[in-house]
Amino acid sequence: MAPAHFLARFMAWLFDGLITGIFAVVLALATASLVGIILSLDPGIFNMLALIVGVVTAALLLLLNFLYYGYFWSTSGASLGMKAFDIKVVRRKPGARISFWRAGFRGTIGYWISAIPLYLGYIWAGFDGNKESWHDKIFDTHVVKVPWEEQPLREKYPIYKKTRSAEK
């Protein structure tokens, strides 16, 4: 299968960031409310409780990303953002599926490793011969274009079929 275009990967990443970001905002609002309640009760213990709430919130956000990417990549190979741009994650070994754990760690720890040094791990895919980011290399995966025959919207929506068949 052909490697996914850098722009498609970037747009899918933004789309997924928007989806997980919405959940993060809801969680942050709930956390802010909890911190406000704690502050109104006793400012003396505020610092300790605020730290605990912050750590718990960070752990919940990490778990959210882990579950989101772990579920979607291990079941269909594509997150919601990737489905929108007709790309998916596959293992380098043909026919091998991505396990839930590999997918979850790729979407959390792998993404962090790629992001920490000024997003160089993501940008790397634009210059790499195999179009792989650092998290692809670490977790033995790569992102490919979904072949026309496998695109789920092809049969469901006739207009999609007409516009996409013109691209072939």
Side-chain angles (χ1 to χ4, degrees):
M1 286 192 249
H5 190 274
F6 179 78
L7 186 58
R9 290 182 67 146
F10 177 70
M11 294 304 291
W13 177 77
L14 284 177
F15 191 94
D16 286 329
L18 180 66
I19 292 169
T20 56
I22 289 169
F23 288 106
V25 167
V26 169
L27 185 61
L29 289 173
T31 301
S33 300
L34 183 60
V35 169
I37 291 169
I38 292 169
L39 180 59
S40 70
L41 294 177
D42 184 9
I45 61 169
F46 171 70
N47 289 335
M48 180 184 68
L49 290 178
L51 175 66
I52 292 170
V53 168
V55 169
V56 169
T57 301
L60 287 173
L61 290 174
L62 176 65
L63 180 64
L64 168 73
N65 276 344
F66 188 90
L67 294 174
Y68 177 80
Y69 291 113
Y71 172 75
F72 282 110
W73 288 344
S74 66
T75 56
S76 65
S79 62
L80 296 176
M82 291 178 147
K83 288 178 183 181
F85 292 94
D86 297 327
I87 59 177
K88 68 180 180 178
V89 179
V90 295
R91 292 285 306 272
R92 283 196 200 125
K93 182 179 173 186
R97 294 202 44 101
I98 299 175
S99 72
F100 176 82
W101 297 103
R102 181 181 300 267
F105 284 124
R106 181 185 184 274
T108 52
I109 294 171
Y111 272 15
W112 287 355
I113 291 169
S114 291
I116 288 174
L118 304 173
Y119 291 88
L120 289 177
Y122 290 106
I123 296 168
W124 190 267
F127 301 99
D128 185 70
N130 295 326
K131 301 204 181 290
E132 293 176 348
S133 297
W134 291 353
H135 49 272
D136 291 320
K137 295 182 181 301
I138 294 167
F139 290 97
D140 191 36
T141 60
H142 60 270
V143 181
V144 297
K145 294 178 189 175
V146 175
W148 171 246
E149 299 78 32
E150 293 179 24
Q151 292 176 8
L153 297 178
R154 183 173 62 100
E155 296 298 328
K156 190 171 182 181
Y157 301 104
I159 187 74
Y160 183 79
K161 185 176 182 178
K162 289 177 186 172
T163 59
R164 297 299 288 193
S165 61
E167 294 179 9
K168 286 180 80 176

